[in-house]
């Protein structure tokens, strides 16, 4: 859409089926003030490009009694009991009249006036809204399930099959109720996300603590979160320490310790201590708000199988009309057979040809799977990515921050001669606290944790690419790479030290030396620790049938080899620049088929974009990860990756099952109609049964766990 066209998003109440949503979209597009419109049936929303008023939008949906509200309007929906709904009451009256008509027919005969009257009232009351939609579509030559059912029911009445027509109306009403229930059940997973974050929070203003709605909270406000309370807004801890249960956002079952400067998210639970949090995002921009928005948008994005079903249904429905017409007209016309009998069979074709099960087969599975994933800390940004993740053959991983924690730690300290370990740590930390290098911070952290004496360094000087030097307690010390000391010492490193360095490097560790111009005092080995979940996640992926796992890293061969062996990676490629990773992904796609790239969403963007599915780590609090990836693992670990692949595979399998089952049932039913073995009510029962089965099959995805 052109930038100057106004865009508005509205929530819609009252959608009962995908066909109705399509009709509503076309009605809105036909409004003079609307340039374009897109209905998101899964999220029950419509995006309108133009200046249409809410009254105009509701008028366009009057055929379904739709109610329209601005997207951001807070709406408390009163849950109407199922038995109080108008459609339920009409269906119940229709069922009673159907039973009355049958009982009268048993006593006085089916063609008696009272029996026909009861059946007729049953048809009119139960099929009132159906006929309104069907007749309007018929006048516009729009052929959908409402058109098919309207023609079939009126045709049955016209040839005197009043009882059959009334039965079809009743069973179709039940079928519609089932479809509506299934979509409500699937949407419930999104509604549950909306209710996670509190609507009010305690904020300190003018030295007073007041409870106000989250809409009134401003960036920079200080929010007070007591033990046992949910956190209402995203922010940064300014005072206090506590453990926070982040399961609602990241899916992590173990609470995370939060202290000053740590980030917290709306919807998470403060478990132990009192926290003071500086608000960093408005209510519309919180992580949970973004997740809800992206999940709703994901439901609107058509998966390949859904696009196939939609295209197929457009051809399928008119084809069923033609087949029904042929069966009803050709045998009597050219074979001299009974008109009434063959018109009846033609009507049965219309009923059995109703594409309810086929149309609902894909969206219910996709909406359910995406909702389940979101509740488990995985954001899947569309049906297409859900399906692609289900057919992956290779998964490629970035190393730093993905397979490893991305925070280097001191793993080994080896002193030379009479040097004490604690003294070496004190001297090394005094020098390294002036450095910005990640390895330097590992030394400083180790000294802090060990309780080493805090010393002061003077005349600090960085030696580019090799290390640093400074005076500590009046003596000049150097710390840096082995290459620095090979150049510094007159005789270079001795064989024993070289052997120790080689051994540590082969274990995937980076070695730093501390010493003077004359001797080496200590060897420090630093490594980026492997995540606890990495090895287990890779084992699960292999069990799920992923053919190959590959690590792509810019690190050296030794480190790459050691990490690959420890986590169980099939193949590794080391010393890669970002463009090399991009080429590696392209080559893997050519050789292996569908490839996922797992990274942190900030680095490796070209590789993530090129992969069949780009999967970002640590989506919570990282806008880049949420925006660039096809799938975001909200927690900063790999434990959710096997769950994502498993869910996607189950979804793909269920979608295929549903489509195949729907088409096979139709084909069998059509074959049974020709010899006259399938009645009208049996035809609608078969369609209703197929709809119910594909719906329940789709809802099985709610039960997929890690």
């Amino acid at each position: 859409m052109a930038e100057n066209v106004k865009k508005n998003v509205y929530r819609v109440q009252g959608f009962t089926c995908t066909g109705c949503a399509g009709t509503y979209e076309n009605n809105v597009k036909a409004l003079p003030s609307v340039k374009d419109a897109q209905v998101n049936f899964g999220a029950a929303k419509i995006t309108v490009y133009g200046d249409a008023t809410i009254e105009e939008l509701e008028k366009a949906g009057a055929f379904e009694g739709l109610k329209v509200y601005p997207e951001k309007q807070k709406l408390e929906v009163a849950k109407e009991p199922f038995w109080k709904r108008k459609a339920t009451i009409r269906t119940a009256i229709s069922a009673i009249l159907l039973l009355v008509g049958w009982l009268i027919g048993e006593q006085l005969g089916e063609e008696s006036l009272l029996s026909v009257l009861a059946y007729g009232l049953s048809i009119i009351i139960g099929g009132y809204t159906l006929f309104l939609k069907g007749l309007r579509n018929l006048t516009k030559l729009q052929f959908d399930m409402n058109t098919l059912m309207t023609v079939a029911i009126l045709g049955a009445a016209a040839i005197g099959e009043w009882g059959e027509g009334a039965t079809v109306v009743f069973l179709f009403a039940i079928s519609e109720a089932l479809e509506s229930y299934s979509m409500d059940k699937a949407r419930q997973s999104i509604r549950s996300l909306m209710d996670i974050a509190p609507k009010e929070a305690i904020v300190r203003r003018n030295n007073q603590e007041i409870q106000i709605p989250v809409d009134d909270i401003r960036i920079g406000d200080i929010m007070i979160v007591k033990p046992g309370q949910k956190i209402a807004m995203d922010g940064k801890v300014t005072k206090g320490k506590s453990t926070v249960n982040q399961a609602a956002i990241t899916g992590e079952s173990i609470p995370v310790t939060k202290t000053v400067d740590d980030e917290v998210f709306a919807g998470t639970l403060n478990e132990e201590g009192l926290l003071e949090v500086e608000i960093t995002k408005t209510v519309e921009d919180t992580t949970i708000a973004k997740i809800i928005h992206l999940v709703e948008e994901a439901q609107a994005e058509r998966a390949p199988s859904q696009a196939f079903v939609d295209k197929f249904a457009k051809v399928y429905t008119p084809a069923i009309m033609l087949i029904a017409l042929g069966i009803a007209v050709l045998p009597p016309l050219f074979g001299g057979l009974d008109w009434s009998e063959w018109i009846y069979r033609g009507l049965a074709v219309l009923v059995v040809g109703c594409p309810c099960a086929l149309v609902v087969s894909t969206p219910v599975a996709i909406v359910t799977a995406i909702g389940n994933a979101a509740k488990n800390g995985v954001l899947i940004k569309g049906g297409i990515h859900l399906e692609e993740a289900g057919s992956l053959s290779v998964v490629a991983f970035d190393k730093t921050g993905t397979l490893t924690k991305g925070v280097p730690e001191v793993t080994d300290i080896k002193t030379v001669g009479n040097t004490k370990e604690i003294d070496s740590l004190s001297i090394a930390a005094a020098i390294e606290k002036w450095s910005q290098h990640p390895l330097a911070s590992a030394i400083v952290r180790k000294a802090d944790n060990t309780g080493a004496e805090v010393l002061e360094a003077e005349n600090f000087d960085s030696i580019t690419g090799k290390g640093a030097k400074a005076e500590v307690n009046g003596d000049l010390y150097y710390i840096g790479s082995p290459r620095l000391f090979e150049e510094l010492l007159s005789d270079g490193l001795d064989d024993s030290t070289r052997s120790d360095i080689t051994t540590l490097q082969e274990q995937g560790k980076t070695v730093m030396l501390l010493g003077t111009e004359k001797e080496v005092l200590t060897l420090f080995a630093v490594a980026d620790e492997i995540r606890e979940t990495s090895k287990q996640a890779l084992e699960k992926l292999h069990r799920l049938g992923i053919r190959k796992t590959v690590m792509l890293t810019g690190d050296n061969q030794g480190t790459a080899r050691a990490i690959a062996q420890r986590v169980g990676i099939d193949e590794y490629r080391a010393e890669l620049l970002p463009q090399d990773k991009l080429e590696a992904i392209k080559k893997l796609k050519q050789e292996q088929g569908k490839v996922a790239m797992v990274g942190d969403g900030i680095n490796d963007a070209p590789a993530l974009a090129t992969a069949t599915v780009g999967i970002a780590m640590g989506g919570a609090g990282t806008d880049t990860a949420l925006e660039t990836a096809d799938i975001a693992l909200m927690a900063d670990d790999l434990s959710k990756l096997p769950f994502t692949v498993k869910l996607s595979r189950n979804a793909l399998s269920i979608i295929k099952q549903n489509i195949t089952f729907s088409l096979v049932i139709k084909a069998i039913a059509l074959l049974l109609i020709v010899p006259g073995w399938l009645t009208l009510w049996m035809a609608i029962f078969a369609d209703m049964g197929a709809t119910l089965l594909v719906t329940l099959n789709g809802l099985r995805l709610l039960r997929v766990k890690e």
Side-chain angles (χ1 to χ4, degrees), residues 168-183:
V168 168
V169 166
F170 171 63
L171 291 174
F172 184 73
I174 293 176
S175 177
E176 290 277 271
L178 287 171
E179 185 179 343
S180 178
Y181 169 79
S182 70
M183 288 309 298

Side-chain angles (χ1 to χ4, degrees), residues 455-469:
L455 301 175
E456 289 299 322
E458 297 176 340
N459 301 320
F460 172 86
D461 188 20
S462 176
I463 305 169
T464 307
K466 295 175 186 175
K469 63 179 180 178

Side-chain angles (χ1 to χ4, degrees), residues 410 413 420-437 439-458 460 468-472 477-480 512-515 522 524:
V410 175
I413 302 175
K420 291 182 180 178
E421 184 178 303
I422 196 78
D423 294 338
S424 291
L425 266 173
S426 293
I427 296 166
I431 303 170
E432 293 289 39
K433 71 181 178 183
W434 295 97
S435 174
Q436 300 297 316
H437 197 281
L439 297 180
S441 61
I443 298 278
V444 174
R445 275 196 305 275
K446 182 69 174 179
D448 289 342
N449 295 336
T450 311
E453 184 184 354
V454 179
L455 301 175
E456 289 299 322
E458 297 176 340
F460 172 86
K469 63 179 180 178
E471 289 180 11
V472 180
Y477 291 95
Y478 292 80
I479 187 167
M512 301 166 67
L513 307 183
L514 172 70
T522 309
F524 294 98

Side-chain angles (χ1 to χ4, degrees), residues 355-616:
C356 298
L358 186 64
V359 169
V360 81
S361 62
T362 306
V364 72
I366 288 171
V367 170
T368 303
I370 289 174
N372 185 18
K375 288 204 300 186
N376 281 280
V378 179
L379 182 60
I380 302 174
K381 293 172 64 176
I384 185 169
H385 308 306
L386 177 74
E387 287 197 18
E388 295 283 25
S391 55
L392 291 171
S393 53
V394 178
V395 181
F397 298 87
D398 175 38
K399 179 182 75 70
T400 307
T402 302
L403 293 170
T404 63
K405 293 179 179 178
V407 181
E409 299 288 346
V410 175
T411 58
D412 300 84
I413 302 175
K414 189 173 179 60
T415 58
V416 178
N418 296 323
T419 309
K420 291 182 180 178
E421 184 178 303
I422 196 78
D423 294 338
S424 291
L425 266 173
S426 293
I427 296 166
I431 303 170
E432 293 289 39
K433 71 181 178 183
W434 295 97
S435 174
Q436 300 297 316
H437 197 281
L439 297 180
S441 61
I443 298 278
V444 174
R445 275 196 305 275
K446 182 69 174 179
D448 289 342
N449 295 336
T450 311
E453 184 184 354
V454 179
L455 301 175
E456 289 299 322
E458 297 176 340
N459 301 320
F460 172 86
D461 188 20
S462 176
I463 305 169
T464 307
K466 295 175 186 175
K469 63 179 180 178
E471 289 180 11
V472 180
N473 292 337
D475 294 319
L476 180 62
Y477 291 95
Y478 292 80
I479 187 167
S481 67
R483 190 157 55 111
L484 171 65
F485 282 85
E486 288 281 14
E487 296 172 2
L488 190 65
L489 301 175
S490 56
D491 296 327
L493 296 171
D494 60 53
D495 291 340
S496 174
T497 304
R498 285 192 187 123
S499 176
D500 289 340
I501 291 168
T502 303
T503 301
L504 291 167
Q505 286 179 337
E506 284 174 351
Q507 294 171 10
K509 299 169 183 176
T510 301
V511 180
M512 301 166 67
L513 307 183
L514 172 70
T516 65
E517 292 176 328
K518 296 178 180 178
E519 62 179 337
V520 173
L521 299 174
T522 309
L523 281 73
F524 294 98
V526 179
D528 184 0
E529 286 193 52
I530 293 170
R531 294 183 186 277
E532 295 84 356
T533 54
S534 294
K535 187 172 183 179
Q536 187 183 20
L538 284 157
E539 286 173 353
K540 285 184 178 179
L541 286 174
H542 284 120
R543 284 201 297 271
L544 284 167
I546 295 295
R547 287 208 307 267
K548 182 185 282 189
T549 52
V550 183
M551 180 175 72
L552 307 176
T553 177
D555 220 326
N556 63 67
Q557 291 285 346
T559 301
R561 186 187 308 110
I563 298 288
Q565 287 172 350
R566 286 174 64 191
V567 299
I569 282 274
D570 296 327
E571 187 180 303
Y572 66 89
R573 300 181 190 181
E575 299 175 12
L576 300 179
L577 296 171
Q579 59 265 35
D580 298 328
K581 292 184 182 181
L582 173 63
E583 291 304 319
I585 291 292
K586 285 182 178 177
K587 192 173 180 183
L588 282 170
K589 284 174 73 176
Q590 288 171 0
E591 295 172 353
Q592 305 287 342
K594 295 188 176 179
V595 178
M597 173 67 189
V598 187
D600 61 9
I602 301 167
N603 303 318
D604 307 316
L608 284 167
T610 305
T612 312
V613 181
I615 302 174

Side-chain angles (χ1 to χ4, degrees), residues 160-235:
E161 296 289 347
W162 292 93
E164 293 268 11
T167 306
V168 168
V169 166
F170 171 63
L171 291 174
F172 184 73
I174 293 176
S175 177
E176 290 277 271
L178 287 171
E179 185 179 343
S180 178
Y181 169 79
S182 70
M183 288 309 298
D184 280 345
K185 184 81 175 170
R187 288 186 189 121
Q188 188 60 41
S189 57
I190 307 304
R191 292 198 195 103
S192 64
L193 285 175
M194 293 178 179
D195 295 334
I196 284 174
K199 302 294 184 283
E200 293 184 324
I202 299 172
V203 172
R204 183 183 296 127
R205 283 185 183 168
N206 301 322
N207 294 321
Q208 283 189 316
E209 293 181 7
I210 54 174
Q211 186 161 321
I212 59 174
V214 290
D215 289 336
D216 297 336
I217 295 176
R218 299 187 294 265
I219 291 175
D221 277 341
I222 299 297
M223 176 174 65
I224 313 298
V225 189
K226 297 175 182 177
Q229 283 187 338
K230 277 191 174 181
I231 297 169
M233 301 282 282
D234 283 16

